[in-house]
């Protein structure tokens, strides 16, 4: 027997999109419930660095960022092109600042400008070399009470006894090279000690963002039902009027008098969908998206007539397939002293380019397998993942076939199956460019973006250093992602659309369950979470202003 319960709004998915949408609905007096199929809330948001790219928000304007609506519009248009309707871009830019202000007003979250974290294409019209991104300030997990235990864990835990923010990683990577590295290491311990004295339990990045939004829902008395998977959308009279779920083994129909918001994430962990829509090599082992993101919400929307877009796409990024799971290779490929090569032993990309671009070039050039080549000087100088400078890489990395080492470039080439003479020529060529301080082949270091995770003490170019000190290393690089970003086609208010452009009445979609407002582009750090929050906000506003149509 199916239990029927009535709400004004039913939200599917307890990530950034769903929780913002639920909070907006509740603050407009609508009886709201959030259902989440996982045993934890927060989704991919909780696992992330929690950068948020929202131009002209009050946080960056108060910090003196020289942003304007015209600059933001010019830049986003240049990044996205004509792939996404202008009305959606305009809606995002117009509502984004209000979304951030709403979250500041109705949750304990506070944000800080990620100063210096450049827009990803700062040379485009309207691009800002010092960036527009913000991140959460540390949040006291005590505010969550018992709900803290149900927060999805981070992608990579920070060291015990520290409070680490996203912007700290830039300097921690340089702990052996730059005075600010040691200063930052001292600061992250000092923050923890100060919080400990106050009896606080500080959390940061995605933990803070997801936890802060959950705290807002707690204060607004919005229930979040975990372990409650969606089975299908309920249609009545041609309108999506609720959702069918399973809770504690019982089938339930949650009626939604005003609307349903699907914020259930992408399909990165659904191998069949990835094989159907995306090019090889592809799979579910190279993503760091939440394990519960298997496309259920997208499929349910398609079953009631919603059109799908951008299904070939993802928030791509180069990954190292470590035995403990995929590692998102960010600062490591930007720091000087490494190159990427293809099976022919040739460089083929600016290694420091925005991560999505690097993977798109990998696919376009069929550069599989890709290898990251470094030397011992690189190992001596920089943090790698969480391994301090000078220390050896773990033995299990070698045993797994992810990492190889040899005392000569030619010997290393033999171990990874690339032509020794070609790899030697590539390294010689790159070394000459590095010593000259200009990468005339792939322009690494030309963009301000390339410099964010580079080494300012390295001369003449912070992004370029020769590979010369043996032993030499090769790490396997695969086309990974932070999650997929194709999904339901929506309009400027987050309403689901059919292939003919008509509405699917009662149905709203936001976050990675929807086709990204960024198209195949990526404007800056937080280009997934910023739009997710904003379209969750817009969807709930539209529901609140409607009578259920």
């Amino acid at each position: 027997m199916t239990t029927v319960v009535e709400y004004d709004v039913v939200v599917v998915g307890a990530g950034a999109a769903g929780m913002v949408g639920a909070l907006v609905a509740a603050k407009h007096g609508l009886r709201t419930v959030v259902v989440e199929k996982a045993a934890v809330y927060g989704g991919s948001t909780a696992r992330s660095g929690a950068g948020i790219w929202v131009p002209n928000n009050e946080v960056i304007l108060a910090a003196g960022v020289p942003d304007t609506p015209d600059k933001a519009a010019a830049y986003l248009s240049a990044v996205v092109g004509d792939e996404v309707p202008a009305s959606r871009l305009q809606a995002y830019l117009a509502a984004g600042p209000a979304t951030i202000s709403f979250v500041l007003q109705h949750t304990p979250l506070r944000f800080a400008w990620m100063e210096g974290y450049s827009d990803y294409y700062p040379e485009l019209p309207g691009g800002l070399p010092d960036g527009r991104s913000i991140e959460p300030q540390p949040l006291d997990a005590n505010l969550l009470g018992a709900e803290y235990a149900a927060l999805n864990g981070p992608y990579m835990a920070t060291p015990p006894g520290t409070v680490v923010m996203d912007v700290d990683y830039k300097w921690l990577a340089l702990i052996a090279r730059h005075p600010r590295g040691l200063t930052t290491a001292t600061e992250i311990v000092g923050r923890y000690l100060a919080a400990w004295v106050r009896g606080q339990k500080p959390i940061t990045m995605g933990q803070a963002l997801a936890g802060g939004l959950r705290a807002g829902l707690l204060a607004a008395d919005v229930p979040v039902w975990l372990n409650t998977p969606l089975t299908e959308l309920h249609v009545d009279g041609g309108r999506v009027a609720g959702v069918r779920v399973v809770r504690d083994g019982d089938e339930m129909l949650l009626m939604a008098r005003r609307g349903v918001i699907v914020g259930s994430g992408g399909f990165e962990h659904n191998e069949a969908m990835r094989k159907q829509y995306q090019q090889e090599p592809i799979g579910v082992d190279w993503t760091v998206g939440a394990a519960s993101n298997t496309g259920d919400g997208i499929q349910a929307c398609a079953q009631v007539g919603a059109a799908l877009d951008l299904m070939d796409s993802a928030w791509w990024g180069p990954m190292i397939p470590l035995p403990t799971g995929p590692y998102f290779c960010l600062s490591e490929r930007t720091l000087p002293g490494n190159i990427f090569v293809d099976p022919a032993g040739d460089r083929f990309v600016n290694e420091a380019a925005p991560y999505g671009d690097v993977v798109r070039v990998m696919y376009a050039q069929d550069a599989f397998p890709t290898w990251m080549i470094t030397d011992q000087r690189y190992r001596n100088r920089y943090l790698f993942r969480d391994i301090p400078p000078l220390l050896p890489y773990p033995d299990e990395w070698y045993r797994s076939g992810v990492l190889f080492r040899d005392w000569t470039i030619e010997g290393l080439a033999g171990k990874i199956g690339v032509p020794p003479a070609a790899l030697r020529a590539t390294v010689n060529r790159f070394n000459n460019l590095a010593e000259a301080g200009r990468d005339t082949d792939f322009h690494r270091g030309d963009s301000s973006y390339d410099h964010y995770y580079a080494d300012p003490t390295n001369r003449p170019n912070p992004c370029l250093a020769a590979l010369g000190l043996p032993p030499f290393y090769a790490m396997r690089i695969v086309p990974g992602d932070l999650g997929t970003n194709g999904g339901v086609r929506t309009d400027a208010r987050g309403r689901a659309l059919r292939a003919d452009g008509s509405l699917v009445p009662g149905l709203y979609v936001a976050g990675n369950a929807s086709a990204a407002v960024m198209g195949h582009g990526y404007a800056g750090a937080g280009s997934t979470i910023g739009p997710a929050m904003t379209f969750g906000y817009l969807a709930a506003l539209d529901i609140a202003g409607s009578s259920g149509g």
Side-chain angles (χ1 to χ4, degrees):
M1 183 174 177
T2 300
T3 303
V4 180
V5 184
E6 284 204 1
Y7 289 91
D8 293 317
V9 179
V10 178
V11 177
V12 181
M19 287 198 284
V20 169
L23 189 56
V24 173
K27 290 299 179 180
H28 282 79
L30 301 178
R31 185 168 183 249
T32 304
V33 66
V34 180
V35 296
E36 166 60 56
K37 85 170 186 181
V40 290
Y41 63 88
S44 293
T45 298
R47 293 173 54 77
S48 74
I52 301 170
W53 195 86
V54 170
N56 294 291
N57 69 74
E58 64 177 83
V59 178
I60 63 171
L61 296 182
V65 176
D67 203 3
T68 68
D70 286 346
K71 284 182 184 177
Y75 177 67
L76 191 59
S77 177
V79 170
V80 176
D82 59 4
E83 192 168 30
V84 174
S87 59
R88 287 192 70 208
L89 301 183
Q90 292 161 3
Y92 170 48
L93 294 175
T99 302
I100 299 301
S101 297
F102 173 87
V103 169
L104 287 169
Q105 183 178 355
H106 295 289
T107 78
L109 283 163
R110 295 296 174 263
F111 299 105
W113 174 39
M114 300 172 71
E115 183 176 1
Y117 203 150
S118 171
D119 283 342
Y120 286 4
Y121 307 96
E123 292 77 25
L124 290 178
L128 297 184
D130 283 331
R132 295 175 161 98
S133 301
I134 59 175
E135 67 169 317
Q137 294 189 15
L139 180 81
D140 182 9
N142 290 320
L143 296 171
L144 291 166
E147 287 298 310
Y148 177 53
L151 174 61
N152 196 15
Y155 150 61
M156 194 169 79
T158 55
T162 65
V163 178
V164 184
M165 296 177 67
D166 203 315
V167 292
D168 294 328
Y169 285 107
K170 167 186 172 69
W171 297 111
L172 292 174
L174 299 171
I175 192 166
R177 295 283 292 166
H178 195 285
R180 240 181 116 172
L182 283 172
T183 301
T184 302
T186 303
E187 286 175 356
I188 65 175
V189 174
R191 285 182 206 139
Y192 175 82
L193 293 174
W196 179 78
V197 168
R198 295 191 295 266
Q200 296 178 343
K201 188 186 296 181
I203 53 176
T204 59
M205 295 182 282
Q207 298 285 282
L209 181 56
L213 293 174
R214 183 69 185 96
L217 293 179
L218 283 170
D221 293 322
V222 177
V224 176
W225 294 357
L226 303 178
N227 298 299
T228 306
L230 163 75
T231 57
E232 66 177 353
L233 296 171
H234 173 68
V235 178
D236 184 15
R239 176 181 176 275
V240 173
V243 304
R244 294 185 183 274
V245 300
V246 175
R247 189 182 190 209
D248 296 330
D250 297 327
E251 293 184 3
M252 299 184 69
L253 172 58
L254 306 181
M255 298 297 292
R257 289 183 288 259
R258 303 288 286 272
V260 171
I261 302 175
V262 174
S264 53
F267 60 94
E268 57 265 26
H269 285 282
N270 184 321
E271 185 153 14
M273 289 181 74
R274 299 209 80 158
K275 299 289 187 186
Q276 177 182 354
Y277 292 110
Q278 301 184 329
Q279 61 184 313
E280 296 285 355
I282 199 70
V284 298
D285 297 327
W286 301 336
T287 181
V288 296
S292 55
N293 290 345
T294 55
D296 316 51
I298 296 171
Q299 292 174 320
C301 292
Q303 287 167 3
V304 298
L308 305 181
D309 282 335
L310 299 176
M311 296 294 284
D312 63 325
S313 187
W315 305 110
W316 303 113
M319 296 281 177
I320 302 172
L322 298 177
T324 52
Y327 176 68
F328 189 65
C329 188
L330 186 56
S331 62
E332 291 84 359
R333 62 186 171 81
T334 300
L335 289 163
N338 75 85
I339 57 174
F340 279 16
V341 299
D342 62 16
D346 297 325
R347 270 186 89 209
F348 62 94
V349 71
N350 168 9
E351 296 86 355
Y355 31 90
D357 289 353
V358 174
V359 170
R360 277 186 282 272
V361 174
M362 289 170 68
Y363 276 119
Q365 301 290 334
D366 193 23
F368 305 112
T370 290
W371 297 98
M372 178 180 179
I373 310 297
T374 70
D375 70 350
Q376 187 60 39
R377 181 167 65 169
Y378 175 90
R379 176 76 292 261
N380 293 345
R381 285 181 168 186
Y382 307 119
L383 181 77
F384 195 100
R385 200 189 67 168
D386 55 354
I387 304 170
L390 295 171
L391 296 185
Y393 295 116
D395 289 342
E396 55 265 32
W397 293 12
Y398 295 100
R399 289 195 296 266
S400 70
V402 169
L403 175 64
F404 293 86
R405 175 180 58 194
D406 200 273
W407 287 94
T408 69
I409 289 293
E410 291 79 3
L412 186 68
K415 289 179 177 177
I416 62 174
V418 306
L423 186 59
R424 166 51 68 189
T426 295
V427 170
N428 288 347
R429 167 71 179 170
F430 179 77
N431 287 352
N432 289 334
L433 297 175
E435 288 162 7
R438 185 77 186 274
D439 177 13
T440 53
D441 289 345
F442 296 99
H443 307 286
R444 177 170 168 180
D446 287 6
S447 171
S448 298
Y449 172 79
D450 297 0
H451 288 246
Y452 182 71
Y453 281 115
D455 179 357
T457 71
N458 187 76
R459 299 286 185 267
N461 190 319
C463 299
L464 304 173
L467 284 67
L469 180 65
F472 300 95
Y473 301 89
M475 286 196 188
R476 186 176 174 224
I477 300 291
V478 297
D481 61 74
L482 304 172
T484 55
N485 62 6
V488 176
R489 183 184 302 172
T490 59
D491 69 3
R493 290 188 259 175
R495 300 179 296 182
L497 299 175
R498 303 182 190 276
D500 63 4
S502 63
L503 295 175
V504 180
L507 181 60
Y508 297 76
V509 189
N512 286 349
S514 65
V517 72
M518 294 285 164
H520 287 94
Y522 209 119
S527 290
T528 172
I529 294 177
M533 295 171 67
T534 301
F535 282 100
Y537 174 86
L538 283 168
L541 279 187
D542 196 70
I543 291 172
S546 73
S547 58

